[in-house]
Amino acid sequence: MKRALITLWLVLSAAAPARAEDGYDLWLRYRPVTDAARLAEYRAAVTQLVVDGDSPTLRAARDELRTGLRGLLGADVPLSASATRDGAVIVGTPASSRTIGALGLGDALRAVGREGYVVRATRVGGRRAIVVAANSDVGALYGAFRFLRQLQTYGTLANLAVASAPKIQLRLLNHWDNLNRSVERGYAGHSLWAWDTLPDASNPRYRDYARANASIGINGAVLTNVNANARILTPEYLAKVAALANVFRPYGVRVYLTARFSAPIEIGGLKTADPLDPAVRAWWKAKIDSIYALIPDFGGFTVKANSEGQPGPQDYHRTHADGANMFAEALAPHGGVVMWRAFVYSNEVPVDRVKQAYTEFKPLDGQFRDNAFVQVKNGPLDFQPREPFSPLFGAMPKTPLMMEFQVTKEYLGQDTHLVYLGQEFEEVLRSDTWAKGKGSTVAKVIDGSLHGYARTGIAGVSNIGDDRNWTGSQFNQANWYAYGRLAWDPEMSASDIADDWLRMTFTNDPSFVRAVKAMMKTSREAVVNYMTPLGLAHIMATGHHYGPGPWVGGPNTRMRADQTPTYFHRADSLGLGFDRTATGSNALEQYAPPIRARWGNQRTVPDSVLLWFHHVGWTERLPATHGRPLWDELVARYNAGVDSVRAMQRTWDAQRGKVDDERFRDVQSFLAIQEKEARWWRDAALTYFQSFSHLPIPARYEQPAHPLQYYLQVRCPANRDKPRCDNVP
């Protein structure tokens, strides 16, 4: 009888029209389980909820479990003070729960450390139970989300035995949010932080933001733009920051800020910001003490200095280490850290811009205090669709390096184009630095295992705004999700992460998951092909970086050479690409010898970095171009990118009826824009490069819709955070 009722409930649920969804729930959609066998299993295994302890964090775990289980199982799961029957879910720590303390989990809990958790099917007092145990309340919260994920993805509860711990200590989102609520490189609306109404009014989205981060293990948020505003350090704004910290704290999310190096002058009344000046050091110490008086668990500062016009220690003939150590010294008594960005972009035009970070920071290895990180972008340039890993990874064994990924898609179609960055993150993390021989991956650098870093960290530039769906488009949510999961475990599979995200965000329908996951896995390669194939980089339109602009640069522009696409692609009548071997800028020298040997030889260099390291003749045939002339391979890649987007459209169109209409149409409309703009990219780039190669586009390919002059006249509005371009064909 019970099974018949379940079946009837499922039939009625399936027959009812799917309610409209707008993406606000992210991957925390607790919709009814539609698999009858799984639902029966879950209802038998989950009959009561026991959360031992009453801290704000354990209350958050209890509330999340009650909400999640009600939604998934279709009925409230009663709270109980103890396990009184089969099916208790018991949550807590040995300190909060005598039951958990008596289960003999000591070895398992020691293995997962402070933030890890154990989720295990077991027996308590002879009754079947599921235990979510941890050494800390926040670990128990993470375990609660992990248990809910098991149900959301239709995993079995039989013999459930999960133990997990983060491999990286600091797992942060960097919000490039300004105090006027604009977001630099943000494509999802305004900043979440309503500074004008804080600290008095609190938006429910603050809590939901913290919930989402906790569900994937993110434990810190840098609230402000790296191009910092000193006002954030004034008492008025620090009170607002404290209000946000109070909301985030139960979810294990600590707040951090960006520090403007010249703040002692701008808000402190000093005449200098010299990091070795005693008065400057005293000012920062007093300021930091005052922050901790308001926010006892304040995390510390991210600092951008002497880059793109930002002030820094070099203004006073001091080093980056001098600047970072000033902050580190003042933060150390409170347990805070400083994260000093290695993205340096000096006032002088260099021989090769991609060499700057290594050139400036490698000699400083070992000169930074213990609580100072050097935060390094994944590549040596600037978040391109593809670039080699930064040579700093593996080159600073005495200085903890933090990875900086971009979760927002500044150079990858911004909010419009569907690009699953999990593939990019995985590619970078698995790259081998050869710093200590084969297997010295970037992941092992940043998790501390390669060099024995005592502190470890990772940062992702946020793609979150106040758009209802948080990230501008539905599939951009997957990049936030993938970043968090890989920050927890940088050796995870991007494919497995996509599988979980699709099941939690859309549906467990196997045909949907299989097809759309395949689409997601090819999406990053698609954008590389129709934007910057074969190792090209930074050929986007200048300023907003939306759409193609390979023609920008040369003697007729007032811009710095290394701000222009022509600087990076070096197209001429002979060929294409930037020679970074010993015969060119020799940036290749910054990598380990096995990498230099492979990438420096045109016969062995991977196609992914061919034009990054070599200037190749238009008719030259290489293994990296599959034996075809470079021009033919370039044409093939640009067309393959467009074809991939069209395949994505067909895949998504076939999912009609498997997801709610609102989100289905939303994704469909974005894919239509992407297909149009992929053609724009292909045709504009090929007609421009054709003006150098003077070679035809083979007839088997679509021919450009317009001559080059047409594409030169396409204009985009000045708003770089939401650019849309006129006359796109």
Side-chain angles (χ1 to χ4, degrees):
M1 180 64 179
K2 182 178 179 182
R3 190 172 185 84
L5 289 173
I6 291 173
T7 302
L8 177 62
W9 176 76
L10 290 171
V11 169
L12 293 174
S13 298
R19 73 174 179 85
E21 295 194 53
D22 53 19
Y24 181 86
D25 290 340
L26 299 164
W27 49 88
L28 299 178
R29 293 172 64 255
Y30 299 125
R31 300 297 185 264
V33 174
T34 57
D35 181 292
R38 277 287 183 253
L39 181 60
E41 176 190 356
Y42 295 164
R43 285 182 165 175
V46 180
T47 63
Q48 59 182 162
L49 180 61
V50 181
V51 180
D52 290 325
D54 194 41
S55 71
T57 299
L58 287 174
R59 288 199 298 271
R62 178 199 64 201
D63 292 347
E64 196 71 34
L65 285 165
R66 293 190 75 187
T67 299
L69 294 173
R70 181 190 307 118
L72 291 161
L73 305 186
D76 282 315
V77 175
L79 288 172
S80 178
S82 61
T84 58
R85 59 180 183 268
D86 280 345
V89 177
I90 304 168
V91 183
T93 69
S96 72
S97 168
R98 271 196 257 175
T99 301
I100 289 175
L103 286 177
L105 297 175
D107 289 344
L109 288 175
R110 277 189 289 274
V112 298
R114 194 188 76 81
E115 291 185 288
Y117 54 80
V118 173
V119 182
R120 183 177 294 184
T122 187
R123 285 191 171 270
V124 174
R127 302 180 181 91
R128 287 183 290 105
I130 293 172
V131 171
V132 179
N135 295 304
S136 66
D137 291 355
V138 75
L141 175 65
Y142 294 153
F145 279 114
R146 175 61 182 86
F147 173 64
L148 287 169
R149 188 197 313 158
Q150 189 77 3
L151 276 62
Q152 287 178 277
T153 57
Y154 290 11
T156 184
L157 299 183
N159 304 313
L160 180 64
V162 175
S164 184
K167 294 183 178 179
I168 297 175
Q169 295 162 4
L170 303 185
R171 305 174 300 278
L172 312 184
L173 279 178
N174 284 186
H175 289 263
W176 286 4
D177 294 22
N178 299 311
L179 300 189
N180 65 1
R181 296 195 69 190
S182 65
V183 182
E184 184 164 352
R185 308 309 187 191
Y187 311 108
H190 294 98
S191 170
L192 286 180
W193 327 130
W195 298 112
D196 55 338
T197 61
L198 285 165
D200 299 319
S202 183
N203 188 324
R205 293 194 75 158
Y206 301 156
R207 174 180 172 272
D208 288 338
Y209 164 84
R211 286 177 56 232
N213 280 329
S215 74
I216 50 178
I218 290 173
N219 65 0
V222 185
L223 301 180
T224 46
N225 194 353
V226 291
N227 295 320
N229 187 328
R231 289 178 62 206
I232 195 65
L233 301 179
T234 62
E236 174 192 3
Y237 276 90
L238 290 174
K240 301 171 188 287
V241 173
L244 291 174
N246 291 339
V247 177
F248 298 167
R249 190 171 293 112
Y251 292 90
V253 179
R254 299 172 72 180
V255 298
Y256 298 73
L257 295 172
T258 51
R260 184 162 172 84
F261 196 83
S262 54
I265 299 171
E266 295 174 24
I267 63 172
L270 302 185
K271 296 186 181 301
T272 180
D274 183 347
L276 299 189
D277 185 295
V280 173
R281 299 175 82 87
W283 187 89
W284 278 110
K285 181 182 183 306
K287 177 56 65 178
I288 288 168
D289 289 347
S290 72
I291 294 173
Y292 279 95
L294 279 174
I295 312 167
D297 58 349
F298 178 66
F301 291 124
T302 297
V303 182
K304 175 180 178 178
N306 291 122
S307 178
E308 298 182 316
Q310 292 296 302
Q314 292 177 343
D315 299 348
Y316 304 95
H317 308 290
R318 312 300 187 192
T319 69
H320 289 289
D322 292 331
N325 288 341
M326 174 187 67
F327 288 100
E329 180 182 286
L331 288 161
H334 305 282
V337 300
V338 60
M339 297 160 285
W340 195 270
R341 295 179 82 237
F343 178 67
V344 287
Y345 189 1
S346 64
N347 293 327
E348 297 76 29
V349 177
V351 173
D352 185 352
R353 179 175 153 189
V354 306
K355 297 174 67 174
Q356 286 187 64
Y358 184 101
T359 299
E360 291 197 27
F361 282 89
K362 167 64 176 172
L364 299 175
D365 188 30
Q367 297 183 32
F368 293 86
R369 287 183 61 112
D370 292 344
N371 60 325
F373 288 93
V374 172
Q375 184 169 306
V376 183
K377 288 189 177 184
N378 58 273
L381 184 50
D382 189 19
F383 296 138
Q384 295 301 292
R386 171 171 283 131
E387 50 185 298
F389 69 89
S390 169
L392 276 172
F393 293 115
M396 298 187 71
K398 300 175 184 177
T399 307
L401 300 185
M402 284 183 73
M403 169 65 74
E404 180 177 307
F405 279 129
Q406 186 172 204
V407 185
T408 191
K409 305 198 314 287
E410 175 183 348
Y411 295 96
L412 295 97
Q414 299 175 7
D415 69 322
T416 308
H417 296 201
L418 193 162
V419 184
Y420 175 49
L421 295 182
Q423 300 299 129
E424 177 185 341
F425 301 157
E426 179 183 79
E427 178 182 293
V428 173
L429 291 166
R430 294 185 178 183
S431 295
D432 199 338
T433 70
W434 285 84
K436 288 189 173 182
K438 185 175 176 57
S440 303
T441 62
V442 172
K444 291 178 180 176
V445 174
I446 63 170
D447 73 12
S449 61
L450 188 67
H451 299 307
Y453 295 155
R455 296 176 186 266
T456 56
I458 187 170
V461 180
S462 164
N463 64 346
I464 301 162
D466 71 349
D467 279 5
R468 179 66 185 172
N469 65 18
W470 300 86
T471 59
S473 70
Q474 305 295 337
F475 272 83
N476 283 345
Q477 296 176 4
N479 296 329
W480 179 7
Y481 182 82
Y483 166 72
R485 295 289 302 276
L486 284 164
W488 182 274
D489 181 358
E491 295 185 346
M492 277 200 72
S493 158
S495 177
D496 290 347
I497 293 169
D499 193 287
D500 283 348
W501 180 79
L502 286 168
R503 292 175 183 276
M504 297 165 75
T505 304
F506 287 107
T507 175
N508 278 275
D509 182 316
S511 64
F512 174 91
V513 174
R514 182 170 53 252
V516 180
K517 181 169 70 171
M519 179 182 87
M520 291 173 68
K521 289 171 65 177
T522 60
S523 63
R524 188 279 186 112
E525 202 62 37
V527 77
V528 169
N529 279 335
Y530 67 71
M531 286 188 183
T532 54
L534 297 171
L536 287 172
H538 223 311
I539 63 171
M540 293 75 185
T542 303
H544 49 75
H545 301 147
Y546 191 86
W551 42 79
V552 177
N556 296 324
T557 181
R558 296 181 181 180
M559 300 175 62
R560 282 175 49 146
D562 60 340
Q563 293 178 330
T564 64
T566 58
Y567 171 91
F568 290 101
H569 64 66
R570 305 288 169 109
D572 57 26
S573 61
L574 300 178
L576 180 65
F578 197 129
D579 182 1
R580 292 189 167 99
T581 69
T583 60
S585 74
N586 207 20
L588 191 57
E589 186 181 34
Q590 296 178 341
Y591 291 89
I595 298 174
R596 295 203 299 264
R598 185 182 181 213
W599 291 356
N601 186 331
Q602 289 193 3
R603 313 308 301 181
T604 58
V605 64
D607 58 7
S608 58
V609 292
L610 172 64
L611 300 179
W612 183 281
F613 287 109
H614 298 274
H615 190 78
V616 180
W618 293 113
T619 59
E620 198 166 352
R621 299 171 184 266
L622 295 169
T625 64
H626 302 89
R628 292 188 285 217
L630 172 66
W631 173 250
D632 287 27
E633 184 67 17
L634 195 70
V635 173
R637 294 297 180 101
Y638 272 107
N639 278 277
V642 175
D643 290 344
S644 294
V645 177
R646 290 170 174 166
M648 289 160 60
Q649 287 182 292
R650 292 192 295 272
T651 295
W652 186 253
D653 287 347
Q655 309 313 312
R656 186 186 298 275
K658 297 177 183 178
V659 298
D660 56 283
D661 286 344
E662 185 172 348
R663 289 187 299 165
F664 175 80
R665 289 193 300 269
D666 195 25
V667 173
Q668 194 176 47
S669 65
F670 274 86
L671 283 170
I673 296 170
Q674 185 172 359
E675 191 274 339
K676 178 180 180 181
E677 294 184 349
R679 285 187 282 109
W680 170 36
W681 260 98
R682 177 197 64 192
D683 294 352
L686 287 179
T687 54
Y688 172 73
F689 290 132
Q690 190 177 40
S691 70
F692 294 94
S693 74
H694 302 293
L695 295 168
I697 295 172
R700 64 182 178 276
Y701 296 112
E702 290 181 45
Q703 299 299 300
H706 301 279
L708 175 60
Q709 192 59 36
Y710 178 93
Y711 300 106
L712 295 177
Q713 294 172 353
V714 173
R715 293 291 179 266
C716 300
N719 179 8
R720 69 181 185 179
D721 290 340
K722 278 280 190 181
R724 289 294 179 265
C725 304
D726 301 324
N727 304 323
V728 175

